[in-house]
Amino acid sequence: MKIAILGYGVVGSGVAEVLKTNATQITKKTGKKIEVKHVLDLRDFPGDPHEALMTKDFAVIENDPEVKIVVESIGGETAAYDYTKRAILSGKSVCTPNKALIAKHGAELFALAKKKGVNMLFEASVGGGIPLIRPYIDALCTDQIQAVAGILNGTSNYILTQMSENGTSYATALKDAQNLGYAEQDPTADVGGYDACRKLCILLSLAVDKQVNYENVRTEGIENISTEDFAFGKALGFTLKQIVSGKVYESGVGALAAPFFVPLAHPLAAVNDVYNAAWVTGKTTGNVMFYGSGAGKLPTASAVVSNIVDAAHMQPLVHGWAPEEAKILPADKYVTRKIIRVTCENPAEIKKAATLPQYPNQAAWITTAESEEQTAKSLAEIKKTSGIKTIERVLRIYG
Ligand code: HSE
């Protein structure tokens, strides 16, 4: 069974490595020897063991009838979209970890693959190395998914954990995440919440069989999180995580990607470093948590290789994700408790507020559960209160 790899970056080179490392087990399971025939990349890799297989011309792969499976690990939505479409049209199955591609063009690519009788598989697109997409579709398809939440970006979870546990600065933690191969080339989507939001929308689209458009989901990142946020959160019994939260209602889908305080006793509070978790609530199944490495070369590559094995067996992924757009409910109606932190003249005078000796002019307290629009009104009142100088931060509480 001959395959081609598009993009020889972190994941693409990881796929070649996993295929080599696990060759015996894979052949035993599939009865086939999976062989990389071409590797497409615009860069040169002198001395690399796959140097002789390198090509810069996609047509070489497209026109090679021996190649039955294409791994798209270029990333982004331009070349990745073009090549994926052309690969399917030339009768090849495609396996991709590319969440941007699936979140935007998934419905179209699935329909095309069905028409051509090939597989379009995307296990590694959500949760990196966690076996998530297939069990999510297979095991929960008989249930109604009511909510999907979790930590779905390894980079931001790694950064927040390092800041919280080791007092590492945001800039240093981000640089480390890049060196470890967790972050995207341009990490804006990681720290800005967009990567996690796209992954949430993939899970929600599968839950409602419609396109949940990530462009319409309120998305906030971790760029401005400070040591004060961790300190006051801890004093009130919370840790801070980049959370995605989606709910399925009769009237539409509620979705949000943002930093949230998580109660220390909640299972998501224990998901640290590059680990991810998807917390799925089914109507009859109840809560299920999928947990594992959310990013990184070999875990992500292993999930892609599991798809190669599926494609080699022609094991389809049966789901009903259609192009029709799902209605996304206005984020202003999203109800949560929140923690408000202020700078003020006399922190000790604020009822039920946490105060900390190292921040003598600040106080933080927990609100009751209220919608975003109610909070906006309360904040306008708080600003007018005598003794309050600045509202430093307002962050939602999960759960
Ligand atoms: N940059 C992504 C993350 C990679 O940090 O989660 C896995 O999708």
Side-chain angles (χ1 to χ4, degrees), residues 99 124-125 128 152-156 182-184 190 195 199 276 294-295:
K99 50 272 159 141
S125 66
L152 293 182
N153 181 263
T155 302
S156 52
Y182 301 157
E184 304 299 311
D190 291 306
D195 177 82
K199 291 165 176 168
N276 278 193

Side-chain angles (χ1 to χ4, degrees), residues 302-330:
S302 297
V304 177
V305 170
S306 79
N307 277 166
I308 296 174
V309 170
D310 287 345
H313 278 313
M314 280 310 286
Q315 273 294 0
L317 196 61
V318 182
H319 59 81
W321 179 347
E324 185 195 340
E325 279 219 10
K327 183 176 177 204
I328 297 181
L329 302 172

Side-chain angles (χ1 to χ4, degrees), residues 177-378:
Q178 286 174 303
N179 290 338
L180 289 162
Y182 301 157
E184 304 299 311
Q185 258 172 3
D186 171 5
T188 315
D190 291 306
V191 296
Y194 305 106
D195 177 82
C197 177
R198 287 186 186 116
K199 291 165 176 168
L200 170 69
C201 290
I202 291 174
L203 295 180
L204 285 172
S205 299
L206 289 167
V208 299
D209 287 340
K210 286 181 186 166
Q211 178 73 17
V212 177
N213 185 349
Y214 58 87
E215 283 164 2
N216 298 332
V217 173
R218 183 171 291 179
T219 304
E220 296 164 19
I222 60 164
E223 302 96 327
N224 299 320
I225 296 300
S226 64
T227 43
E228 286 98 318
D229 294 319
F230 290 107
F232 280 95
K234 203 169 173 190
L236 291 163
F238 299 90
T239 186
L240 187 52
K241 298 285 180 194
Q242 175 72 13
I243 293 281
V244 292
S245 171
K247 288 184 183 152
V248 178
Y249 302 101
E250 292 264 311
S251 53
V253 171
L256 185 65
F260 275 69
F261 283 111
V262 178
L264 288 170
H266 193 285
L268 288 176
V271 178
N272 287 320
D273 286 313
V274 73
Y275 284 94
N276 278 193
W279 181 261
V280 181
T281 309
K283 191 172 178 184
T284 53
T285 316
N287 292 321
V288 176
M289 186 160 104
F290 297 89
Y291 171 83
S293 287
K297 181 174 176 164
L298 296 181
T300 310
S302 297
V304 177
V305 170
S306 79
N307 277 166
I308 296 174
V309 170
D310 287 345
H313 278 313
M314 280 310 286
Q315 273 294 0
L317 196 61
V318 182
H319 59 81
W321 179 347
E324 185 195 340
E325 279 219 10
K327 183 176 177 204
I328 297 181
L329 302 172
D332 285 344
K333 306 283 177 213
Y334 196 94
V335 174
T336 53
R337 291 185 299 156
K338 297 179 184 76
I339 293 181
I340 298 178
R341 177 165 60 85
V342 298
T343 300
C344 54
E345 275 162 20
N346 205 341
E349 277 180 6
I350 301 178
K351 260 198 279 170
K352 291 190 185 162
T355 55
L356 292 170
Q358 66 270 39
Y359 303 109
N361 300 319
Q362 295 198 26
W365 67 92
I366 301 171
T367 69
T368 53
E370 56 186 23
S371 67
E372 307 271 308
E373 54 189 0
Q374 283 166 331
T375 303
K377 280 183 201 152
S378 314

Side-chain angles (χ1 to χ4, degrees), residues 1 23-34 69 305-306 308-313:
M1 173 68 74
T24 313
Q25 295 94 303
I26 292 170
T27 307
K28 217 163 137 188
K29 270 200 190 122
T30 57
K32 291 174 184 140
K33 190 167 173 275
I34 310 265
I69 300 167
V305 170
S306 79
I308 296 174
V309 170
D310 287 345
H313 278 313

